[in-house]
Amino acid sequence: MSSETLDRNAPVIVVGAGQAGFTVCSKLRDLGHSGPISLIGDEEQPPYQRPPLSKGYLLGEMTQERMLFRPLAFYDQKEIQLKLGTRVEHIDRNRREVRLGDGSVLPYGYLVLATGSRPRVLNKDQGGALDGIYYVRSMADTNKMAPEFKPGRHVLVIGGGYIGLEAAAVSAKLGLRVTLIESAPRILQRVASTETACFFRDLHRNHAVDIREGVEFATLTGQDGRVTHAHMKDGSVLAVDFVIVGIGIHPNTELAQEAGLEIENGIKVDANCRTSDPFILAAGDCASFPWKGNRIRLESVGNAIDQGEAAARTIVQASDGYKAKPWFWSDQFDIKLQIVGLAGGHDSAVTRRLSQNALSIWYYRGEELLAVDAINQPAAYMVAKRLIEAGKSPEPKAVADLDVDLKSLLHS
Ligand code: FAD
């Protein structure tokens, strides 16, 4: 054992009871870790899935109970000490202790930071302090917003990323009038290709969502403290009943930064999820990690699970290095988008279209397949995932040819 490695059953404290934090704890037990494990989260609910907050849960189709990863009894069974409604305020790296919001101090062997991220918010000058403005990050956020969803009301969605588009789709399904504004020239500018963005723009417009791209929002104004109007930089004004803001997130790095850990677009970790302190690891939305000679940070369930598992393996000394296998999904109206890989840097794209609403878009850099967006095409997603994981790149011509069976590409 090196001076930077502890006993494989050393006490572990995990900060943040979200997807990554939950995964670290349950994986540790799966791997036979028998020491004390504490999972400390500042939300009131036991760890739950976040994606339905802008999908099924917002639609009212899922109960709170179904959102939980596991019932409360699981934590007792696994001897995971779950502390909810509690913030970790400070890390003392010399003493290897954390201080909680209630003033108590807990010692750790390993500390895992799984603090996630938080929405970017509108500032006071933009009218951000008015009532009737909502963000979609937590169950509490969605619960607070739910009474606003009454048919015929007008909701303005600010931001054309996945969360804004999903919230717009739910609002339209519930009979609201929806306007979505995006300041970039197109929706999904940061996260998806032009092809995929065009598909979703058409989808929304076909469901009467008023999508306005290249429109810069200036300020919200209101009456009696509640939002009533949105003013754009071009001088146009919209009367609104309420506003949903989805303009991106900030990784929660402050706790790590204050403890002197290295930060680089997130808490900087190596391929084993270790931060610049060998006894502190990080995983999920808050962590940036090495990827193909660069450093990236992903905001997805798949990444939070894979990194959470990798952090657990590092602690029990079974690490095989974290190799990200990015995947993502989004549900809007009756469309399921599944993405595998990262399309950034692609120089060509080929579309395999089965019908108007069933297609896949394959992204290449040179001859290398980088990523695939599968729209109502689970079979294409599965094949693409296996190809990308195996480092195989089928000929674009074969991909576009509907006479070629997709599965045959696996053996080419
Ligand atoms: P989080 O889930 O954010 O958990 C971090 C937790 O740590 C939070 O509870 C936070 O309050 C807590 N915390 C922070 N600081 C402290 C502290 N000091 N003390 C105690 N607790 C603290 N991903 C997909 O792949 N597909 C989707 O369709 C999808 N849809 C989404 C829809 C919505 C509305 C949202 C919000 C996210 C969606 N995501 C989706 C993203 C995905 O949910 C996140 O990437 C994932 O939850 C990240 O997990 P995490 O554990 O890193 O962070």
Side-chain angles (χ1 to χ4, degrees):
M1 210 183 300
S2 83
S3 60
E4 297 195 336
T5 308
L6 302 174
D7 182 272
R8 73 186 299 281
N9 295 312
V12 178
I13 292 184
V14 179
V15 187
Q19 181 75 66
F22 166 80
T23 304
V24 175
C25 298
S26 57
K27 188 69 183 176
L28 277 172
R29 288 298 187 230
D30 288 349
L31 292 168
H33 184 283
S34 60
I37 300 177
S38 300
L39 177 57
I40 304 172
D42 58 0
E43 293 185 65
E44 298 296 335
Q45 295 81 9
Y48 61 89
Q49 315 169 52
R50 243 167 253 287
L53 295 176
S54 53
K55 308 179 181 73
Y57 187 70
L58 188 58
L59 259 176
E61 288 175 349
M62 276 177 91
T63 60
Q64 282 204 15
E65 227 177 353
R66 262 193 64 205
M67 299 279 284
L68 304 185
F69 294 127
R70 293 284 188 283
L72 262 181
F74 168 87
Y75 302 90
D76 283 345
Q77 272 162 20
K78 297 282 176 185
E79 295 185 42
I80 296 167
Q81 212 208 347
L82 185 59
K83 251 183 173 317
L84 298 172
T86 306
R87 267 192 87 69
V88 173
E89 302 277 9
H90 178 72
I91 304 168
D92 184 331
R93 287 168 55 196
N94 292 327
R95 301 167 76 97
R96 273 194 237 152
E97 288 174 351
V98 290
R99 193 181 68 234
L100 311 187
D102 61 9
S104 58
V105 171
L106 297 177
Y108 63 82
Y110 286 111
L111 181 68
V112 184
L113 301 177
T115 48
S117 50
R118 62 181 182 279
R120 286 181 57 203
V121 296
L122 300 181
N123 61 39
K124 230 176 151 192
D125 293 344
Q126 294 170 303
L130 291 165
D131 287 341
I133 303 171
Y134 300 92
Y135 302 87
V136 200
R137 183 73 203 174
S138 65
M139 205 183 264
D141 291 339
T142 301
N143 291 347
K144 208 164 69 179
M145 180 166 49
E148 301 275 8
F149 285 76
K150 296 197 182 86
R153 299 186 83 210
H154 184 203
V155 56
L156 171 67
V157 178
I158 303 179
Y162 286 116
I163 289 188
L165 288 167
E166 288 179 354
V170 168
S171 306
K173 267 182 150 176
L174 292 175
L176 282 83
R177 284 189 302 123
V178 190
T179 305
L180 181 148
I181 54 168
E182 167 57 59
S183 59
R186 66 164 172 85
I187 55 168
L188 300 174
Q189 175 94 24
R190 198 177 56 84
V191 287
S193 66
T194 312
E195 290 84 346
T196 300
C198 285
F199 177 88
F200 282 99
R201 180 191 302 116
D202 289 347
L203 177 74
H204 277 261
R205 286 188 175 154
N206 290 339
H207 284 85
V209 175
D210 180 3
I211 293 211
R212 304 184 187 183
E213 295 162 304
V215 171
E216 282 196 67
F217 151 83
T219 181
L220 297 173
T221 53
Q223 215 178 348
D224 303 327
R226 188 180 159 95
V227 67
T228 54
H229 290 88
H231 304 255
M232 309 304 154
K233 285 196 180 155
D234 64 8
S236 56
V237 183
L238 273 180
V240 298
D241 290 310
F242 69 105
V243 177
I244 301 174
V245 184
I247 52 174
I249 59 173
H250 287 296
N252 289 325
T253 57
E254 289 75 7
L255 188 64
Q257 189 157 15
E258 189 235 22
L261 299 176
E262 283 181 42
I263 308 292
E264 198 179 310
N265 177 31
I267 305 169
K268 189 174 174 183
V269 297
D270 66 13
N272 294 314
C273 298
R274 283 189 202 260
T275 67
S276 48
D277 179 326
F279 306 110
I280 305 182
L281 297 89
D285 278 14
C286 67
S288 74
F289 59 90
W291 165 263
K292 296 188 178 179
N294 286 316
R295 176 163 287 281
I296 57 166
R297 195 173 58 72
L298 294 177
E299 299 160 5
S300 71
V301 164
N303 178 63
I305 294 173
D306 291 349
Q307 271 196 329
E309 292 189 349
R313 283 197 297 274
T314 297
I315 290 171
V316 300
Q317 297 162 34
S319 172
D320 49 4
Y322 170 60
K323 288 178 205 73
K325 297 177 194 146
W327 58 273
F328 187 80
W329 81 95
S330 175
D331 298 327
Q332 295 168 46
F333 300 105
D334 53 351
I335 298 294
K336 180 174 269 310
L337 167 70
Q338 291 168 290
I339 301 175
V340 58
L342 296 177
H346 73 274
D347 51 29
S348 65
V350 54
T351 301
R352 183 178 170 97
R353 185 181 291 275
L354 266 67
S355 68
Q356 200 190 343
N357 279 349
L359 62 152
S360 53
I361 305 156
W362 300 58
Y363 301 97
Y364 287 82
R365 183 170 50 215
E367 290 177 356
E368 186 194 0
L369 176 64
L370 296 181
V372 174
D373 293 350
I375 294 170
N376 278 356
Q377 273 290 278
Y381 172 75
M382 287 315 296
V383 169
K385 193 166 186 289
R386 285 175 63 188
L387 285 167
I388 288 174
E389 282 176 15
K392 287 187 175 177
S393 299
E395 286 248 0
K397 239 170 52 190
V399 166
D401 185 350
L402 293 184
D403 289 334
V404 174
D405 177 20
L406 269 185
K407 281 201 192 122
S408 72
L409 300 177
L410 290 166
H411 311 295
S412 54

